[in-house]
């Protein structure tokens, strides 16, 4: 199995779009590639190439649907309740049609539908993920402050890189701690792996409700 984690940014912000590729080795995921500054075509090229090698699982950190009429999806409300129960901030879950989110949502929907075109020929699974919730749900209560701080503090990212290693992600270079987008891309891969591999369980899941919401949403 190959697992791709994508921290997607808006259509004009290629610089902060980060993609990680992992190869499953027993009960671990080994990092084989880590890239940023990606256009949609760059991402699709990586997806296509990896799909030639093995079964491919993709976790995308971006809304892959929106609610008709705007505002929260039911999945957003449920995930917000879940992260608040962990001690995280409700504001990290934003409606897909919020002004600051809408272009990211547009890119996520477009990219997921383009990946759908590849799924007809290759074994590809796709899930929407929330990296902050993936991290927070795997931290002990006394360490929850690290997920609250990792966007701004390198020391928190260092702690989380170690957490990801403990969770089975190997070969993570220390440079991944330099900014949060790379941490998020690794966490996206972790969430997608636990969602797909029957040996593991996601910490929270909202099942797909097609056709409006065609993908599972998990952490």
């Amino acid at each position: 199995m190959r697992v791709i984690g994508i921290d997607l940014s808006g259509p004009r912000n290629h610089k902060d779009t980060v993609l990680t590729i992992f190869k499953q080795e027993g009960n671990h995921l080994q990092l084989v590639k880590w890239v940023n500054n990606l256009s949609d075509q760059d991402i699709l090229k990586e997806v296509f190439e990896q799909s030639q090698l093995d079964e491919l699982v993709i976790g995308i950190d971006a809304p892959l649907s929106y609610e008709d009429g705007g505002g929260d999806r039911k999945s957003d409300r449920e995930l917000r309740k879940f992260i608040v129960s962990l001690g995280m901030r409700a504001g990290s879950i934003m409606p897909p049609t919020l002004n600051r989110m809408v272009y990211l949502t547009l890119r996520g929907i477009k990219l997921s539908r383009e990946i759908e075109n590849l799924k007809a020929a290759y074994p590809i699974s796709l899930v929407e993920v929330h990296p902050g919730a993936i991290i927070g749900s795997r931290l002990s209560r006394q360490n929850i402050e690290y997920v609250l701080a990792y966007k701004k503090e390198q020391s928190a990212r260092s702690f989380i890189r170690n957490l990801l290693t403990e969770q089975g992600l190997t070969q993570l270079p220390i440079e991944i701690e330099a900014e949060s987008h790379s941490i998020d891309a690794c966490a996206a891969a972790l969430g997608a792996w636990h969602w797909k591999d029957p040996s593991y369980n996601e910490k929270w899941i909202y099942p797909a409700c097609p056709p409006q919401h065609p993908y599972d949403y998990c952490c």
Side-chain angles (χ1 to χ4, degrees):
M1 180 190 294
R2 296 269 169 148
V3 183
I4 290 179
I6 303 173
D7 182 46
L8 201 65
S9 296
R12 298 184 65 181
N13 187 12
H14 292 175
K15 177 177 69 70
D16 290 333
T17 296
V18 181
L19 180 147
T20 54
I21 301 171
F22 292 84
K23 178 182 180 182
Q24 186 171 22
E25 298 284 357
N27 61 350
H28 293 84
L29 288 187
Q30 179 181 327
L31 181 69
V32 296
K33 194 167 187 178
W34 164 41
V35 288
N36 69 343
N37 196 20
L38 298 163
S39 68
D40 291 357
Q41 287 306 308
D42 293 330
I43 293 170
L44 291 169
K45 179 175 180 288
E46 294 289 355
V47 169
F48 176 76
E49 289 179 356
Q50 296 303 312
S51 71
Q52 310 301 295
L53 301 175
D54 204 345
E55 176 185 5
L56 182 61
V57 182
I58 306 169
I60 299 183
D61 173 23
L64 304 184
S65 67
Y66 67 92
E67 192 67 23
D68 190 16
D72 281 331
R73 301 167 294 181
K74 188 175 180 182
S75 59
D76 299 316
R77 293 193 294 272
E78 294 299 319
L79 181 55
R80 191 177 294 118
K81 291 177 188 175
F82 176 69
I83 67 165
V84 168
S85 76
L86 299 174
M88 294 175 63
R89 300 186 183 101
S92 66
I93 309 294
M94 292 178 280
T97 52
L98 191 72
N99 283 349
R100 62 184 293 189
M101 289 288 291
V102 68
Y103 288 109
L104 174 61
T105 301
L106 177 67
R107 189 181 188 194
I109 291 173
K110 173 182 178 288
L111 187 61
S112 64
R113 294 349 181 236
E114 289 174 329
I115 291 172
E116 282 291 330
N117 293 331
L118 296 175
K119 285 175 63 177
Y122 303 101
I124 301 173
S125 302
L126 182 61
V127 62
E128 181 178 339
V129 296
H130 188 283
I134 291 165
I135 294 164
S137 61
R138 289 162 177 80
L139 285 169
S140 63
R141 188 78 182 200
Q142 61 264 35
N143 288 326
I144 202 68
E145 71 270 12
Y146 290 106
V147 76
L148 303 178
Y150 81 102
K151 296 288 187 182
K152 295 181 179 179
E153 297 180 13
Q154 193 275 335
S155 59
R157 293 193 293 273
S158 178
F159 185 93
I160 290 169
R161 183 176 73 90
N162 290 332
L163 171 73
L164 295 171
T165 299
E166 292 169 3
Q167 290 287 319
L169 272 56
T170 65
Q171 306 295 320
L172 300 184
I174 196 168
E175 290 80 8
I176 270 178
E177 300 174 8
E179 42 75 36
S180 64
H181 299 292
S182 295
I183 293 288
D184 283 339
C186 291
L190 174 63
W193 177 36
H194 284 185
W195 166 76
K196 184 64 176 179
D197 191 324
S199 301
Y200 300 91
N201 290 301
E202 63 282 321
K203 300 296 185 180
W204 173 93
I205 187 167
Y206 197 90
C209 300
Q212 289 84 5
H213 308 292
Y215 303 103
D216 286 356
Y217 188 13
C218 78
C219 70

